[in-house]
Coordinates of all heavy atoms in Angstrom, one line a residue:
M1 N -28.5 -9.8 -21.4 CA -27.3 -8.9 -21.5 C -27.4 -7.9 -20.4 O -28.4 -7.2 -20.3 CB -27.1 -8.3 -22.9 CG -26.0 -7.4 -23.0 SD -25.9 -6.6 -24.6 CE -24.4 -7.2 -25.1
S2 N -26.4 -7.7 -19.6 CA -26.3 -6.7 -18.6 C -26.0 -5.3 -19.1 O -25.1 -5.2 -20.0 CB -25.3 -7.2 -17.5 OG -25.2 -6.2 -16.5
T3 N -26.6 -4.3 -18.6 CA -26.3 -3.0 -19.0 C -25.4 -2.3 -18.0 O -25.1 -1.1 -18.1 CB -27.6 -2.1 -19.2 OG1 -28.3 -2.1 -18.0 CG2 -28.4 -2.7 -20.3
A4 N -25.1 -3.0 -16.9 CA -24.2 -2.4 -15.9 C -22.8 -2.1 -16.4 O -22.3 -3.0 -17.1 CB -24.2 -3.3 -14.6
H5 N -22.3 -1.0 -16.0 CA -20.9 -0.7 -16.4 C -19.9 -1.5 -15.6 O -20.0 -1.4 -14.4 CB -20.6 0.8 -16.3 CG -19.2 1.2 -16.6 ND1 -18.7 1.2 -17.9 CD2 -18.2 1.6 -15.8 CE1 -17.5 1.6 -17.8 NE2 -17.1 1.9 -16.6
R6 N -19.0 -2.1 -16.3 CA -18.0 -2.9 -15.5 C -16.6 -2.2 -15.7 O -16.3 -1.8 -16.8 CB -17.9 -4.3 -16.1 CG -19.1 -5.1 -15.7 CD -19.0 -6.5 -16.2 NE -20.2 -7.2 -15.9 CZ -20.3 -8.5 -16.1 NH1 -19.3 -9.2 -16.6 NH2 -21.5 -9.1 -15.9
S7 N -15.9 -2.1 -14.7 CA -14.6 -1.5 -14.7 C -13.6 -2.4 -15.5 O -13.7 -3.7 -15.3 CB -14.1 -1.3 -13.3 OG -12.7 -0.8 -13.4
R8 N -12.8 -1.9 -16.3 CA -11.8 -2.6 -17.0 C -10.6 -2.9 -16.2 O -9.7 -3.7 -16.5 CB -11.4 -1.9 -18.3 CG -12.5 -1.8 -19.3 CD -12.1 -1.1 -20.5 NE -13.2 -1.0 -21.4 CZ -13.1 -0.9 -22.7 NH1 -12.0 -0.9 -23.2 NH2 -14.2 -0.8 -23.4
K9 N -10.4 -2.2 -15.1 CA -9.3 -2.4 -14.2 C -9.5 -3.6 -13.4 O -10.6 -3.9 -12.9 CB -9.1 -1.2 -13.2 CG -8.7 0.1 -13.8 CD -8.5 1.1 -12.8 CE -8.1 2.4 -13.3 NZ -7.9 3.4 -12.3
S10 N -8.4 -4.4 -13.2 CA -8.5 -5.5 -12.3 C -8.4 -5.0 -10.9 O -7.9 -4.0 -10.6 CB -7.3 -6.5 -12.6 OG -6.1 -5.8 -12.4
P11 N -9.0 -5.8 -10.0 CA -9.0 -5.4 -8.6 C -7.6 -5.4 -8.1 O -6.7 -6.1 -8.5 CB -9.8 -6.4 -7.9 CG -9.9 -7.6 -8.8 CD -9.7 -7.1 -10.2
R12 N -7.3 -4.4 -7.1 CA -6.0 -4.4 -6.6 C -5.7 -5.6 -5.8 O -6.5 -6.2 -5.2 CB -5.9 -3.2 -5.6 CG -5.8 -1.9 -6.3 CD -5.5 -0.8 -5.3 NE -6.7 0.0 -5.2 CZ -6.8 1.0 -4.4 NH1 -5.9 1.3 -3.5 NH2 -7.9 1.6 -4.3
P13 N -4.4 -6.1 -5.9 CA -4.0 -7.3 -5.2 C -4.0 -7.0 -3.7 O -3.9 -5.9 -3.2 CB -2.7 -7.6 -5.7 CG -2.1 -6.3 -6.2 CD -3.3 -5.5 -6.7
D14 N -4.0 -8.1 -2.9 CA -3.8 -8.0 -1.5 C -2.4 -7.5 -1.2 O -1.5 -7.7 -2.0 CB -4.0 -9.3 -0.8 CG -5.5 -9.7 -0.7 OD1 -6.3 -8.8 -0.7 OD2 -5.8 -10.9 -0.6
C15 N -2.2 -7.0 0.0 CA -0.9 -6.5 0.5 C 0.0 -7.7 0.5 O -0.3 -8.8 0.9 CB -1.1 -6.0 1.9 SG 0.5 -5.6 2.7
E16 N 1.3 -7.5 0.1 CA 2.3 -8.6 0.0 C 2.5 -9.2 1.4 O 2.9 -10.4 1.5 CB 3.6 -8.1 -0.5 CG 3.6 -7.9 -2.0 CD 4.9 -7.4 -2.6 OE1 5.9 -7.3 -1.8 OE2 4.9 -7.0 -3.8
L17 N 2.4 -8.4 2.5 CA 2.6 -8.9 3.8 C 1.4 -9.5 4.5 O 1.5 -9.9 5.7 CB 3.3 -7.8 4.7 CG 4.6 -7.3 4.2 CD1 5.1 -6.2 5.1 CD2 5.6 -8.4 4.0
R18 N 0.3 -9.5 3.9 CA -1.0 -10.0 4.5 C -0.9 -11.4 5.0 O -1.5 -11.8 6.0 CB -2.1 -9.8 3.6 CG -3.5 -10.1 4.2 CD -4.6 -9.7 3.3 NE -5.9 -10.1 4.0 CZ -6.6 -9.3 4.7 NH1 -6.2 -8.0 4.8 NH2 -7.7 -9.7 5.2
G19 N -0.2 -12.3 4.3 CA -0.1 -13.7 4.7 C 0.7 -14.0 6.0 O 0.5 -15.0 6.5
D20 N 1.4 -13.0 6.5 CA 2.2 -13.2 7.7 C 1.3 -13.0 8.9 O 0.8 -12.0 9.2 CB 3.3 -12.2 7.7 CG 4.3 -12.4 8.9 OD1 4.0 -13.3 9.7 OD2 5.2 -11.6 9.0
D21 N 1.0 -14.1 9.6 CA 0.1 -14.1 10.7 C 0.4 -13.1 11.8 O -0.4 -12.5 12.4 CB -0.1 -15.5 11.4 CG -0.8 -16.4 10.5 OD1 -1.6 -15.9 9.6 OD2 -0.6 -17.6 10.6
S22 N 1.7 -12.8 12.0 CA 2.1 -11.9 13.1 C 1.8 -10.5 12.7 O 1.7 -9.6 13.5 CB 3.6 -12.0 13.4 OG 4.4 -11.7 12.2
E23 N 1.6 -10.2 11.4 CA 1.4 -8.9 10.9 C -0.1 -8.7 10.5 O -0.5 -7.6 10.2 CB 2.2 -8.6 9.6 CG 3.7 -8.6 9.9 CD 4.2 -7.4 10.7 OE1 3.5 -6.3 10.6 OE2 5.1 -7.5 11.4
R24 N -0.9 -9.7 10.6 CA -2.3 -9.6 10.1 C -3.1 -8.5 10.9 O -3.9 -7.8 10.3 CB -3.0 -10.9 10.3 CG -4.3 -11.0 9.7 CD -4.9 -12.4 9.7 NE -4.1 -13.3 9.0 CZ -4.3 -13.7 7.7 NH1 -5.4 -13.2 7.1 NH2 -3.5 -14.5 7.1
S25 N -2.8 -8.3 12.2 CA -3.6 -7.3 12.9 C -3.3 -5.9 12.4 O -4.2 -5.0 12.6 CB -3.2 -7.4 14.4 OG -1.9 -7.1 14.6
T26 N -2.2 -5.6 11.8 CA -1.9 -4.2 11.4 C -2.3 -4.1 9.9 O -2.3 -2.9 9.4 CB -0.4 -3.9 11.5 OG1 0.4 -4.8 10.8 CG2 0.0 -3.9 13.0
C27 N -2.5 -5.1 9.2 CA -2.8 -5.1 7.7 C -4.1 -4.5 7.4 O -5.1 -4.9 8.0 CB -2.7 -6.4 7.1 SG -2.7 -6.4 5.3
T28 N -4.2 -3.5 6.6 CA -5.4 -2.9 6.1 C -5.9 -3.5 4.8 O -6.8 -2.9 4.2 CB -5.3 -1.3 6.0 OG1 -4.2 -1.0 5.1 CG2 -5.0 -0.7 7.3
G29 N -5.3 -4.5 4.4 CA -5.8 -5.3 3.3 C -5.3 -5.1 2.0 O -4.3 -5.7 1.5
R30 N -5.8 -4.2 1.2 CA -5.5 -4.0 -0.2 C -4.3 -3.1 -0.4 O -4.1 -2.1 0.3 CB -6.7 -3.4 -0.9 CG -8.0 -4.1 -0.7 CD -7.9 -5.5 -1.1 NE -8.3 -5.7 -2.5 CZ -8.3 -6.9 -3.1 NH1 -7.9 -8.0 -2.5 NH2 -8.7 -7.0 -4.3
E31 N -3.5 -3.5 -1.4 CA -2.3 -2.7 -1.8 C -2.7 -1.4 -2.3 O -3.6 -1.3 -3.1 CB -1.6 -3.6 -2.8 CG -0.5 -2.8 -3.5 CD -0.9 -2.2 -4.8 OE1 -1.5 -2.9 -5.7 OE2 -0.7 -1.0 -5.0
Q32 N -2.1 -0.3 -1.8 CA -2.3 1.0 -2.4 C -1.0 1.7 -2.6 O -1.0 2.8 -3.2 CB -3.1 1.9 -1.4 CG -4.5 1.4 -1.1 CD -5.2 2.3 -0.2 OE1 -4.9 3.4 0.1 NE2 -6.3 1.8 0.4
V33 N 0.1 1.1 -2.1 CA 1.4 1.8 -2.0 C 2.4 0.9 -2.6 O 2.5 -0.3 -2.4 CB 1.8 2.1 -0.6 CG1 3.1 2.8 -0.5 CG2 0.7 2.9 0.1
V34 N 3.3 1.5 -3.4 CA 4.5 0.8 -4.0 C 5.7 1.5 -3.5 O 5.9 2.7 -3.7 CB 4.4 0.8 -5.5 CG1 5.6 0.0 -6.1 CG2 3.1 0.3 -6.1
L35 N 6.5 0.7 -2.7 CA 7.8 1.2 -2.2 C 8.9 0.6 -3.0 O 8.8 -0.6 -3.3 CB 8.0 0.9 -0.7 CG 7.0 1.6 0.3 CD1 7.3 1.1 1.7 CD2 7.3 3.1 0.2
V36 N 9.9 1.3 -3.2 CA 11.1 0.8 -4.0 C 12.3 0.9 -3.2 O 12.6 2.0 -2.6 CB 11.2 1.6 -5.4 CG1 12.3 1.1 -6.2 CG2 9.9 1.6 -6.1
G37 N 13.1 -0.2 -3.2 CA 14.4 -0.2 -2.5 C 15.5 0.3 -3.5 O 15.3 0.6 -4.6
L38 N 16.7 0.4 -2.9 CA 17.9 0.8 -3.7 C 18.2 -0.1 -4.9 O 18.7 0.4 -5.9 CB 19.1 0.9 -2.8 CG 19.1 2.0 -1.8 CD1 20.3 2.0 -0.9 CD2 19.0 3.4 -2.4
D39 N 17.8 -1.4 -4.8 CA 18.0 -2.3 -5.8 C 16.9 -2.3 -6.9 O 17.0 -3.0 -7.9 CB 18.1 -3.7 -5.3 CG 16.9 -4.2 -4.5 OD1 15.9 -3.4 -4.4 OD2 16.9 -5.3 -4.0
G40 N 15.9 -1.4 -6.7 CA 14.9 -1.3 -7.7 C 13.7 -2.2 -7.5 O 12.7 -2.2 -8.2
F41 N 13.8 -3.1 -6.5 CA 12.8 -4.1 -6.2 C 11.5 -3.4 -5.6 O 11.7 -2.5 -4.7 CB 13.3 -5.1 -5.2 CG 12.3 -6.2 -4.8 CD1 12.0 -7.2 -5.8 CD2 11.6 -6.2 -3.6 CE1 11.1 -8.2 -5.5 CE2 10.7 -7.2 -3.3 CZ 10.4 -8.2 -4.3
E42 N 10.4 -3.7 -6.1 CA 9.1 -3.0 -5.7 C 8.4 -3.9 -4.7 O 8.3 -5.1 -4.9 CB 8.2 -2.8 -6.9 CG 8.7 -1.8 -7.9 CD 7.7 -1.5 -9.0 OE1 6.8 -2.3 -9.2 OE2 8.0 -0.6 -9.8
R43 N 7.8 -3.3 -3.7 CA 7.0 -4.0 -2.7 C 5.6 -3.3 -2.8 O 5.5 -2.1 -2.6 CB 7.5 -3.8 -1.3 CG 8.9 -4.2 -1.2 CD 9.4 -5.3 -0.3 NE 8.4 -6.1 0.3 CZ 8.7 -6.7 1.5 NH1 9.8 -6.4 2.2 NH2 7.8 -7.5 2.1
H44 N 4.6 -4.1 -3.0 CA 3.2 -3.6 -3.1 C 2.5 -3.9 -1.8 O 2.3 -5.0 -1.4 CB 2.4 -4.3 -4.2 CG 3.0 -4.0 -5.6 ND1 2.5 -3.1 -6.4 CD2 4.2 -4.5 -6.2 CE1 3.2 -3.0 -7.5 NE2 4.3 -3.8 -7.4
L45 N 2.2 -2.8 -1.1 CA 1.8 -2.9 0.3 C 0.5 -2.1 0.6 O 0.2 -1.1 -0.1 CB 2.9 -2.4 1.2 CG 4.2 -3.1 1.0 CD1 5.3 -2.2 1.6 CD2 4.2 -4.4 1.6
C46 N -0.1 -2.5 1.7 CA -1.2 -1.6 2.3 C -0.6 -0.5 3.0 O 0.6 -0.5 3.3 CB -2.1 -2.5 3.2 SG -1.3 -2.9 4.8
P47 N -1.3 0.6 3.3 CA -0.7 1.8 4.0 C -0.1 1.4 5.4 O 1.0 2.0 5.7 CB -1.9 2.7 4.2 CG -2.8 2.4 3.0 CD -2.7 0.9 2.9
A48 N -0.7 0.5 6.1 CA -0.1 0.2 7.5 C 1.2 -0.5 7.3 O 2.2 -0.1 8.0 CB -1.1 -0.7 8.2
H49 N 1.4 -1.4 6.5 CA 2.7 -2.1 6.3 C 3.7 -1.2 5.6 O 4.9 -1.2 6.0 CB 2.5 -3.4 5.5 CG 2.0 -4.5 6.3 ND1 0.9 -5.2 6.0 CD2 2.5 -5.0 7.5 CE1 0.7 -6.2 6.9 NE2 1.6 -6.1 7.8
A50 N 3.2 -0.4 4.7 CA 4.1 0.6 4.0 C 4.7 1.6 5.0 O 5.9 1.9 5.0 CB 3.4 1.3 2.9
A51 N 3.9 2.1 6.0 CA 4.3 3.0 7.0 C 5.4 2.3 7.9 O 6.4 2.9 8.2 CB 3.2 3.5 7.8
A52 N 5.1 1.1 8.3 CA 6.1 0.4 9.2 C 7.4 0.2 8.5 O 8.5 0.5 9.0 CB 5.5 -0.9 9.6
L53 N 7.4 -0.2 7.2 CA 8.7 -0.4 6.5 C 9.4 0.9 6.2 O 10.6 1.0 6.3 CB 8.4 -1.2 5.2 CG 8.1 -2.6 5.3 CD1 7.7 -3.2 4.0 CD2 9.2 -3.4 6.0
W54 N 8.6 1.9 5.8 CA 9.1 3.2 5.4 C 9.8 3.9 6.6 O 10.9 4.5 6.5 CB 8.0 4.1 4.8 CG 8.5 5.4 4.4 CD1 9.2 5.8 3.2 CD2 8.2 6.7 5.0 NE1 9.4 7.1 3.2 CE2 8.7 7.7 4.2 CE3 7.5 7.0 6.2 CZ2 8.6 9.0 4.6 CZ3 7.4 8.4 6.5 CH2 8.0 9.4 5.7
L55 N 9.2 3.7 7.8 CA 9.8 4.3 9.0 C 11.1 3.6 9.5 O 12.0 4.2 10.1 CB 8.8 4.3 10.1 CG 7.7 5.4 10.0 CD1 6.6 5.1 11.0 CD2 8.3 6.8 10.1
T56 N 11.2 2.3 9.2 CA 12.3 1.5 9.6 C 13.4 1.3 8.6 O 14.5 0.9 9.0 CB 11.9 0.1 10.1 OG1 11.2 -0.6 9.0 CG2 10.9 0.2 11.3
D57 N 13.2 1.6 7.4 CA 14.2 1.5 6.3 C 14.3 2.8 5.5 O 13.5 3.0 4.6 CB 13.8 0.3 5.4 CG 14.9 0.0 4.4 OD1 15.9 0.8 4.2 OD2 14.8 -1.0 3.7
P58 N 15.3 3.6 5.8 CA 15.5 4.9 5.2 C 15.8 4.9 3.7 O 15.8 5.9 3.0 CB 16.6 5.6 6.0 CG 17.3 4.5 6.6 CD 16.4 3.4 6.8
T59 N 16.1 3.7 3.2 CA 16.5 3.6 1.8 C 15.2 3.4 0.9 O 15.3 3.6 -0.3 CB 17.4 2.4 1.5 OG1 16.7 1.2 1.8 CG2 18.7 2.5 2.3
L60 N 14.1 3.1 1.5 CA 12.9 3.0 0.7 C 12.3 4.3 0.2 O 12.4 5.3 1.0 CB 11.8 2.2 1.5 CG 12.1 0.8 1.8 CD1 11.1 0.2 2.8 CD2 12.2 -0.1 0.6
R61 N 11.7 4.3 -0.9 CA 11.1 5.5 -1.5 C 9.8 5.1 -2.1 O 9.6 4.0 -2.5 CB 12.0 6.3 -2.4 CG 12.3 5.5 -3.7 CD 13.4 6.2 -4.5 NE 13.6 5.5 -5.8 CZ 14.2 4.4 -6.1 NH1 14.8 3.8 -5.1 NH2 14.3 3.9 -7.3
F62 N 8.9 6.1 -2.2 CA 7.6 5.9 -2.9 C 7.8 5.8 -4.4 O 8.5 6.7 -5.0 CB 6.6 7.0 -2.6 CG 6.2 7.0 -1.1 CD1 6.7 7.8 -0.2 CD2 5.2 6.1 -0.7 CE1 6.4 7.8 1.1 CE2 4.8 6.1 0.6 CZ 5.4 6.9 1.5
S63 N 7.2 4.9 -5.0 CA 7.2 4.8 -6.5 C 6.3 5.8 -7.1 O 5.3 6.2 -6.5 CB 6.8 3.3 -6.9 OG 6.5 3.3 -8.3
A64 N 6.5 6.2 -8.3 CA 5.6 7.1 -9.0 C 4.3 6.3 -9.3 O 3.3 7.0 -9.6 CB 6.2 7.5 -10.4
K65 N 4.2 5.0 -9.1 CA 3.0 4.3 -9.3 C 2.1 4.5 -8.1 O 0.9 4.2 -8.2 CB 3.3 2.8 -9.4 CG 4.1 2.4 -10.6 CD 4.4 0.9 -10.6 CE 5.4 0.6 -11.8 NZ 5.7 -0.8 -11.7
T66 N 2.6 5.0 -7.0 CA 1.7 5.3 -5.8 C 1.0 6.6 -6.0 O 1.5 7.6 -6.2 CB 2.6 5.4 -4.5 OG1 3.3 4.1 -4.4 CG2 1.7 5.6 -3.3
R67 N -0.3 6.5 -5.9 CA -1.2 7.7 -6.0 C -1.0 8.6 -4.7 O -0.7 8.1 -3.7 CB -2.6 7.3 -6.1 CG -2.8 6.4 -7.4 CD -4.2 6.1 -7.6 NE -5.0 7.3 -7.7 CZ -6.2 7.4 -8.2 NH1 -6.8 6.4 -8.6 NH2 -6.8 8.6 -8.4
P68 N -1.3 9.9 -4.9 CA -1.2 10.8 -3.7 C -2.0 10.3 -2.5 O -1.6 10.5 -1.4 CB -1.6 12.1 -4.2 CG -1.4 12.0 -5.7 CD -1.6 10.6 -6.1
E69 N -3.2 9.7 -2.8 CA -4.0 9.2 -1.7 C -3.3 8.1 -0.9 O -3.5 8.0 0.3 CB -5.4 8.7 -2.2 CG -6.2 9.8 -2.9 CD -5.8 10.0 -4.4 OE1 -5.1 9.1 -5.0 OE2 -6.1 11.0 -4.9
G70 N -2.6 7.3 -1.6 CA -1.8 6.2 -0.9 C -0.7 6.8 0.0 O -0.5 6.3 1.1
I71 N 0.0 7.8 -0.5 CA 1.0 8.4 0.3 C 0.4 9.1 1.5 O 0.9 9.0 2.6 CB 1.8 9.4 -0.5 CG1 2.6 8.7 -1.6 CG2 2.8 10.2 0.3 CD1 3.3 9.5 -2.7
T72 N -0.7 9.7 1.4 CA -1.4 10.4 2.5 C -1.8 9.3 3.5 O -1.6 9.6 4.7 CB -2.7 11.1 2.0 OG1 -2.3 12.1 1.1 CG2 -3.5 11.7 3.1
A73 N -2.3 8.2 3.1 CA -2.7 7.1 4.0 C -1.5 6.6 4.8 O -1.6 6.3 6.0 CB -3.4 6.0 3.3
V74 N -0.3 6.5 4.1 CA 0.9 6.1 4.8 C 1.3 7.1 5.9 O 1.7 6.8 7.0 CB 2.1 5.9 3.8 CG1 3.4 5.7 4.5 CG2 1.8 4.7 2.9
M75 N 1.2 8.4 5.5 CA 1.6 9.4 6.5 C 0.7 9.4 7.7 O 1.1 9.6 8.9 CB 1.6 10.8 5.8 CG 2.6 11.0 4.8 SD 4.2 10.8 5.4 CE 4.9 9.8 4.1
W76 N -0.6 9.2 7.5 CA -1.6 9.0 8.6 C -1.1 7.9 9.5 O -1.2 8.0 10.7 CB -3.0 8.8 8.1 CG -3.7 10.1 7.8 CD1 -3.8 10.7 6.6 CD2 -4.5 10.9 8.8 NE1 -4.6 11.8 6.8 CE2 -5.0 12.0 8.1 CE3 -4.7 10.7 10.1 CZ2 -5.8 12.9 8.7 CZ3 -5.5 11.7 10.7 CH2 -6.0 12.8 10.0
Q77 N -0.8 6.8 8.9 CA -0.4 5.6 9.7 C 1.0 5.9 10.4 O 1.1 5.5 11.6 CB -0.2 4.4 8.8 CG -1.5 3.8 8.2 CD -2.3 3.1 9.2 OE1 -1.7 2.5 10.2 NE2 -3.6 3.0 9.1
A78 N 1.9 6.5 9.8 CA 3.2 6.7 10.3 C 3.3 7.7 11.4 O 4.1 7.6 12.4 CB 4.2 7.1 9.2
F79 N 2.5 8.8 11.3 CA 2.6 9.9 12.2 C 1.4 10.1 13.1 O 1.0 11.2 13.4 CB 2.9 11.2 11.5 CG 4.3 11.1 10.8 CD1 4.3 11.0 9.4 CD2 5.5 11.0 11.5 CE1 5.5 10.9 8.7 CE2 6.7 10.8 10.8 CZ 6.7 10.8 9.4
G80 N 0.8 9.0 13.5 CA -0.2 9.1 14.6 C -1.7 9.2 14.1 O -2.6 9.3 14.9
G81 N -1.9 9.3 12.8 CA -3.3 9.4 12.4 C -4.0 8.1 12.5 O -5.3 8.0 12.6
G82 N -3.3 7.0 12.6 CA -3.9 5.6 12.7 C -4.9 5.4 11.5 O -4.7 5.8 10.4
G83 N -6.0 4.8 11.8 CA -7.0 4.6 10.8 C -8.1 5.7 10.7 O -9.0 5.6 10.0
R84 N -7.9 6.7 11.6 CA -8.9 7.7 11.6 C -8.7 8.7 10.5 O -7.6 9.2 10.3 CB -8.9 8.5 13.0 CG -9.1 7.6 14.1 CD -9.0 8.3 15.4 NE -7.8 9.2 15.3 CZ -7.0 9.4 16.3 NH1 -7.1 8.8 17.4 NH2 -6.0 10.2 16.2
R85 N -9.7 9.1 9.8 CA -9.6 10.1 8.8 C -10.8 11.0 8.8 O -11.8 10.8 9.2 CB -9.6 9.4 7.4 CG -8.3 8.8 7.1 CD -8.4 8.1 5.9 NE -7.2 8.4 5.1 CZ -7.1 7.9 3.9 NH1 -7.9 7.2 3.3 NH2 -6.0 8.2 3.2

């Protein structure tokens, strides 16, 4: 029997846009951000893809499911912070 503590949370899924080969170079991998459109449809994205969509579609908003760290990562991507932190 293992005594190691295991997290009950399931691992975060991959970014919804990760499978698109043309976008693979900008994808930071794991979903951290949930953007919601006017129709209520949610998109689970990595910060790089979320920044690209958020900047090009003014109707998207951050879901309350997105942690402040995720929003910060999107702002870094959107406004010149890139991957540097």
